[in-house]
Amino acid sequence: MTQSGERYARQLALLGAEGQEKLARARVLVVGAGGLGSPLLFYLAAAGVGTLTFVDEDRVAESNLNRQILYAENDLCRPKAGQAAERLAALNRTVRLTPIAARFTGENGPALVAGSDLVALALDNRETRLLANRLCVAAGRPLVDGGIDGWGGYVTTVVPGSTPCLSCWFEKRKPGGRAPVSLGPMAGVIGSMEALAVLQMLLGRPGPAGRLMLFDGSAWTLSPLVAGRRPDCPTCGNRGEAASS
Amino acid sequence: MSIKVLFFASMADAAGTREMSVEAAGITDVISVFDRCAGEHPALESYRSSVLLALNAEFAQPSSPVRDGDEVAFFPPVSGG
Ligand SMILES: [Zn+2]
């Protein structure tokens, strides 16, 4: 029952007590608790991130169960946010969990972003990604994003004022037309990479910041794409280094 | 001489290959490389407005100029979760 030093024994050599303390003090907002959000939230809670707030408006459906490993058959039809909180509390009761069973919008988004040190996206659509990106750039919060479709996936970290933002990367291109195809392990790979990127940013390591890391699960390749910020970016263009202008 | 083209994930399935080379003659920019590839592999056409483009491993736009010997890569849009 006691919380011994054993819980983090295997990672302390990597993080140090100071790094572990950084994670314990961190407040992370995760938007989406589905295919990507499941491994992402699992690993952040397991690693000892102190405060996890997560937002998802959906209820657990049977078609989620091929990849959304936070949920089981008993959870069908229940709100994901609440079920995720139960599962994560069972994993690590020292984490402060705030489940929000709602859609992430321009109304609730600004306060949620302002109340966090870092935002991680686990979404299934381009619009909400760009909305969260705008709020993070405006608030100067680092952002980790990932996506999957078929054999393809990506992860990137945005540091406002320093790296390209999600508008720089994606806004000029249309999102895919059809419904995304999601094989469980692809969500597992990309969601886990997002967790890695989040932990690294919290520890002061750049991880994939400034690079769009493209995973091809068919060819088994991971390709970094680099770019500068777009001067004409509608979201971060003409912002100063501290994103304050 | 020619331009090397790489296809990733579902676009490799659509092209039926991960890699091809196109004659540099008549190629001016990244989208003209796409035109050439889609002409040979029509299943690529549906990616025209959504494909992510790279030129020599740097993020590129449809109008980014392409020269002989360059490497162009096409990634499908990935917005699921
Ligand atoms: Zn931008």
Side-chain angles (χ1 to χ4, degrees):
Chain A
M1 287 300 286
T2 58
Q3 185 70 31
S4 72
E6 283 297 303
R7 172 181 286 274
Y8 304 118
R10 291 297 184 93
Q11 68 191 48
L12 273 170
L14 199 58
L15 310 186
E18 194 185 326
Q20 191 66 54
E21 187 53 36
K22 275 186 190 167
L23 298 188
R25 279 196 307 267
R27 303 166 303 166
V28 173
L29 171 67
V30 175
V31 187
L36 295 172
S38 286
L40 174 56
L41 283 162
F42 253 122
Y43 279 126
L44 296 182
V49 170
T51 302
L52 283 175
T53 302
F54 41 99
V55 191
D56 199 304
E57 65 172 331
D58 288 339
R59 288 169 183 268
V60 180
E62 194 172 3
S63 64
N64 298 152
L65 299 181
N66 78 319
R67 64 194 186 286
Q68 302 190 12
I69 56 171
L70 273 171
Y71 313 111
E73 290 180 0
N74 291 344
D75 302 327
L76 290 175
C77 302
R78 294 184 179 153
K80 287 183 186 176
Q83 292 312 110
E86 262 187 42
R87 186 69 190 84
L88 296 170
L91 173 63
N92 190 344
R93 67 196 163 75
T94 70
V95 178
R96 241 181 89 197
L97 300 165
T98 307
I100 298 175
R103 193 181 173 78
F104 182 85
T105 65
E107 279 75 56
N108 63 14
L112 289 168
V113 169
S116 64
D117 304 308
L118 182 151
V119 178
L121 304 184
L123 290 159
D124 60 4
N125 69 88
R126 174 78 58 88
E127 297 71 30
T128 313
R129 279 187 177 89
L130 292 176
L131 166 66
N133 176 63
R134 283 195 296 277
L135 298 175
C136 285
V137 169
R141 293 293 189 278
L143 171 71
V144 170
D145 184 33
I148 54 168
D149 192 1
W151 301 117
Y154 75 88
V155 180
T156 192
T157 298
V158 174
V159 180
S162 138
T163 71
C165 77
L166 299 186
S167 300
C168 292
W169 290 117
F170 298 124
E171 195 145 300
K172 285 200 169 174
R173 309 303 296 162
K174 292 211 169 75
R178 65 201 161 67
V181 179
S182 306
L183 189 63
M186 285 296 297
V189 167
I190 298 299
S192 300
M193 284 186 188
E194 286 194 74
L196 184 61
V198 168
L199 296 177
Q200 287 171 330
M201 185 82 335
L202 295 176
L203 294 167
R205 293 169 175 267
R211 293 180 293 169
L212 193 63
M213 302 301 305
L214 296 150
F215 178 66
D216 183 334
S218 173
W220 285 80
T221 56
L222 185 64
S223 310
L225 210 53
V226 297
R229 290 162 59 204
R230 268 174 49 202
D232 64 339
C233 173
T235 303
C236 77
N238 300 320
R239 280 185 165 262
E241 283 308 297
S244 56
S245 59
Chain B
M1 284 286 284
S2 59
I3 290 145
K4 184 177 173 184
V5 184
L6 304 174
F7 300 100
F8 286 83
S10 61
M11 289 191 72
D13 291 343
T17 180
R18 293 203 174 106
E19 191 177 325
M20 65 186 275
S21 85
V22 300
E23 276 298 317
I27 296 294
T28 53
D29 53 15
V30 171
I31 201 67
S32 66
V33 176
F34 183 87
D35 293 339
R36 188 78 63 82
C37 297
E40 276 189 46
H41 305 288
L44 292 169
E45 190 58 45
S46 64
Y47 292 94
R48 176 175 293 276
S49 57
S50 60
V51 57
L52 293 177
L53 311 163
L55 176 60
N56 302 323
E58 289 200 27
F59 193 62
Q61 300 297 334
S63 60
S64 300
V66 173
R67 288 174 199 82
D68 201 5
D70 279 347
E71 180 186 278
V72 171
F74 296 121
F75 302 87
V78 171
S79 54

